[in-house]
Amino acid sequence: MRRSGPRALFAAIALAITGAVQAGDSITLASTTSTEASGLFDHIVPKFREATGIHVRVVAVGTGQAFEIGRRGDADVLLVHDTAAEEAFVSDGYAAERRHVMSNDFVLVGPADDPADVAGADSALDAFRRIADGEHPFTSRGDDSGTHRAERNLWHDAGIQPRGRWYRELGSGMGGTLNTAAAMDAYTYADRATWTAFGNRQNLTLLFDGDDVMFNQYGSLLLDGDRHPHVKHDKARQWHEWLLSDQGQEAIASFRLRGQQLFFPNDATPPEP
Amino acid sequence: MDNAFQAAFRLIAERDPVLVEIVTLSLQVSLTAVLIASAIALPLGAAIALWQFPGRGLLIVILNAFMGLPPVVAGLMVYLMLSRAGPLGELGLLFTPTAMVIAQVVLILPIVAALSRQVIEELWGEYREQLQSLGVSRLGAIPTLLWDARFSLTTVVLAGFGRASAEVGAVLIVGGNISGVTRVMTTSIALETNRGNLPLALGLGIILLVLVATVNAVAYMVGESARRRLG
Amino acid sequence: MNRAEPLSLLPLELEGVAFRHRGQTLLHPLDLRLERNGKTLIMGPNGAGKSLLMRICHGLLAPTAGTVRWCGGATPDTIRRRQAMVFQRPVLLRRSALANVRHALGAQGVPRRERARRADEAIEQFGLQAIAHRPARVLSGGEQQRLALARAWALRPEILFMDEPTAALDPAAIRAVEEAVDTFHHNGTCIVMSTHDLGQARRLADDVIFLVNGTLVERSPVQQFFEAPRSAQAAAFVRGDLVW
């Protein structure tokens, strides 16, 4: 083992501080803030550990950053929600395998008095048009996350290029964006899990949901072991496969927040070719 | 605000095990970082104070500028170093408390070095002739100067501790805010804010403030009693 | 004081020593010889170069011309260890009186056990036992100067430089310093001291060096300096007139 001075020092510090955590028995999962903030992992990770003895260390970031962490080989497995980007990630050779794991949906929230009357819209695109037409304040994540990408797709499909003082790109996480929307009585597009878990709604309320285009698909990406030989490929695969097993799918389905089921297992979805 | 105080008191009264773990890790990381940074920066500051060399002025300007280094930038630098794709990637230190210690050392080393340089240079101006008269070399003067400036230097080190324990940008990037592994006070506050649990976030903030104040108070009292004894 | 070293540093000889700083001549070339066990007082108006001359002799400043030569070809380390200096405003470390003396002994490489013995002895010699464990920086001006002398004493210097050591002191403290000068002298230490005080020079000096504007004007035995100075400037200075 090559070990120069500073490296030995780092290793010594590492030993002194991280003694409690057995890195060998753990894998690192890069996931999205939406899953972390809802508390899903607090529910399913212990079950996985019980079954396999493997500890999952969750780094919760935006989907864009999760891909970057994966590209650099800084995680063993990803759980993200941007199907198109996930497919590109596989075809670029960063991931060995991708599976649909679970899904839920996005929601459109806004001030309770609903000046744009999106509650009366007959589709998601109609709701977006109503906001843009009235130039009602709208806060966007603006952080290239899965939710942000889904929101931009809707604007695009509605034939709108959102710009102007009413459209605020925050460059913030889902929670931060909701905090800002609550403070300025703005509309925003959120994933249902974060919205349900969110504790600072103030005047915000759920105004529109249920359109098929607001579907939110989560996928598990197993990093390519050839490209990143150091990743804990075997343990990561156990997690990857456990998520799709009866046990894993049951664990996801049984997660409840405020009495609500937030993630729906994908066991019906066939594996990607 | 009332809810925040209630949240803080409830967490403390219940000795919430997760809170205890987070507080312990916060103190471990920040105190280790302060220790390492001081061990390097105090002699470094003294050396810059005592010796004239080409580029000394530039070094002082750089140190002073780095006192204002944004934590996110420090975090990003350390992230790129420790990432698997980075030069120290094979150590596997990313998303560990060690990575957080390294990031905090990067953050506070310039502070401790720049401020101690100032303190030592002032004292050296006063002591210089006497120490020279006693035949003390510049190198030999460093322990004397560090010891005699110990009260001012304690304040310098505390400033470093304050910055280390208060910052969130760097430890969030290199630590990943992993529950039970790299979650500290500041990243917990950020997470609870994102969950919209503002009273809990503020409550944690109050606890962090009390902790930092306690460390400062202890250092102040030890310093004062020593000052009274030694002048 | 029992000096074991066979060789003496003295006499000290300055040859053509001058000092220039930023284009200004602060000390014009001068020759000077300081003998063993002498008591030489340096006098002259402010800015005459008294402190500068002493710092050059002591080795704190290097002359820009000329040579400072100690006798016996001693190593720089030995030269440093056999002399001491007391400043007008004593520089004391932020620790106890006793610890200040011990620090000085430690700086000169005295073994730890001997350090304690010699420090205690110096403290006692200067009547500082009652305040030995007090912080040095809170002592009165007179006590601080006595401590500086005790520190010098512990080093057993062959030559002691004193830069206006009584300028900021009250009469009782001045008396204590003058007694200390005698004690050093009786123990064989050569004294080089600057002062503004004509009476002090009369009381203490064997001979007087008189500087004006960086020029050595006169060096005379004390009696001659005060009664029949050779230079008009010294005559005026002794009368109490302004000299420049």
Side-chain angles (χ1 to χ4, degrees), chain C:
Chain C
M1 294 242 297
N2 171 28
R3 248 183 223 101
E5 291 97 333
L7 291 169
S8 172
L9 287 179
L10 297 169
L12 167 66
E13 285 178 324
L14 274 61
E15 254 180 43
V17 162
F19 193 83
R20 290 172 64 81
H21 184 64
R22 292 187 182 168
Q24 262 194 314
T25 301
L26 301 180
L27 202 61
H28 294 281
L30 60 80
D31 299 332
L32 188 67
R33 186 181 160 93
L34 292 169
E35 300 292 344
R36 294 178 73 164
N37 205 17
K39 280 196 287 185
T40 302
L41 267 81
I42 304 178
M43 303 204 73
N46 279 336
K50 303 188 292 291
S51 297
L52 183 59
L53 178 59
M54 257 188 293
R55 280 171 169 74
I56 289 172
C57 291
H58 187 42
L60 295 182
L61 290 171
T64 49
T67 52
V68 176
R69 191 165 50 244
W70 297 90
C71 183
T75 63
D77 193 42
T78 310
I79 293 169
R80 171 59 59 214
R81 270 193 284 112
R82 290 215 218 150
Q83 41 173 335
M85 183 153 177
V86 170
F87 298 88
Q88 180 179 343
R89 291 207 330 201
V91 181
L92 297 171
L93 307 187
R94 286 155 175 80
R95 37 189 108 188
S96 75
L98 184 62
N100 263 277
V101 181
R102 287 187 180 172
H103 173 268
L105 288 165
Q108 303 222 334
V110 175
R112 196 169 282 275
R113 284 178 66 188
E114 202 186 336
R115 244 182 259 174
R117 191 179 58 73
R118 269 163 72 170
D120 289 343
E121 185 245 350
I123 289 284
E124 203 181 312
Q125 176 72 38
F126 287 83
L128 295 167
Q129 298 97 315
I131 53 172
H133 296 285
R134 301 247 316 269
R137 315 268 302 184
V138 303
L139 301 178
S140 73
E143 287 168 334
Q144 291 201 2
Q145 198 57 287
R146 260 159 66 210
L147 176 56
L149 287 161
R151 177 169 62 187
W153 176 266
L155 302 176
R156 300 179 180 172
E158 199 172 330
I159 182 166
L160 174 65
F161 296 95
M162 305 172 83
D163 187 8
E164 303 200 28
T166 59
L169 300 183
D170 61 44
I174 291 174
R175 189 183 164 78
V177 171
E178 290 186 6
E179 281 172 5
V181 169
D182 279 335
T183 312
F184 272 101
H185 184 245
H186 284 306
N187 279 277
T189 301
C190 171
I191 304 283
V192 182
M193 169 170 164
S194 66
T195 184
H196 271 108
D197 184 341
L198 293 170
Q200 184 170 57
R202 270 185 216 274
R203 287 192 295 277
L204 294 179
D206 292 338
D207 61 345
V208 173
I209 290 171
F210 185 60
L211 291 173
V212 177
N213 268 336
T215 306
L216 197 161
V217 175
E218 174 168 353
R219 181 177 191 185
S220 305
V222 66
Q223 204 172 356
Q224 185 189 345
F225 182 77
F226 281 106
E227 286 164 15
R230 282 177 283 147
S231 63
Q233 283 161 305
F237 185 76
V238 169
R239 274 200 310 277
D241 292 349
L242 291 174
V243 179
W244 60 88

Side-chain angles (χ1 to χ4, degrees), chain B residues 35-208:
Chain B
L35 214 69
I36 294 170
S38 300
I40 301 168
L42 290 177
L44 177 68
I48 300 170
L50 263 56
W51 275 280
Q52 302 290 333
F53 50 88
R56 176 176 182 270
L58 186 70
L59 184 60
I60 290 173
V61 169
I62 289 174
L63 276 182
N64 286 340
F66 268 71
M67 292 206 315
L69 182 70
V72 180
V73 176
L76 201 55
M77 279 160 38
V78 174
Y79 175 81
L80 293 175
M81 290 292 290
L82 297 184
S83 167
R84 283 290 178 180
L88 295 174
E90 64 181 276
L91 292 174
L93 290 179
L94 195 66
F95 304 139
T96 65
T98 310
M100 298 156 82
V101 170
I102 294 167
Q104 292 194 349
V105 168
V106 169
L107 265 186
I108 62 183
L109 198 142
I111 296 181
V112 179
L115 294 180
S116 61
R117 195 272 307 171
Q118 231 162 352
V119 167
I120 302 273
E121 198 164 283
E122 223 163 272
L123 196 63
W124 176 237
E126 185 190 333
Y127 281 11
R128 182 180 186 152
E129 285 201 318
Q130 181 63 56
L131 292 180
Q132 265 184 299
S133 168
L134 292 173
V136 179
S137 66
R138 278 168 205 260
L139 189 65
I142 291 180
T144 301
L145 290 166
L146 288 177
W147 178 249
D148 275 41
R150 59 199 178 278
F151 301 123
S152 310
L153 292 179
T154 305
T155 311
V156 168
V157 169
L158 283 177
F161 175 74
R163 176 141 157 114
S165 54
E167 74 83 26
V168 59
V171 292
L172 195 57
I173 294 177
V174 303
N177 191 25
I178 299 169
S179 170
V181 182
T182 57
R183 185 161 297 170
V184 291
M185 293 296 290
T186 52
T187 58
S188 301
I189 293 168
L191 177 64
E192 291 309 333
T193 305
N194 273 333
R195 283 177 170 167
N197 287 336
L198 300 195
L200 181 55
L202 202 52
L204 287 168
I206 292 167
I207 293 171
L208 176 62

Side-chain angles (χ1 to χ4, degrees), chain A residues 8-25:
Chain A
L9 179 69
F10 288 152
I13 302 164
L15 213 72
I17 305 166
T18 9
V21 183
Q22 295 282 317
D25 291 340

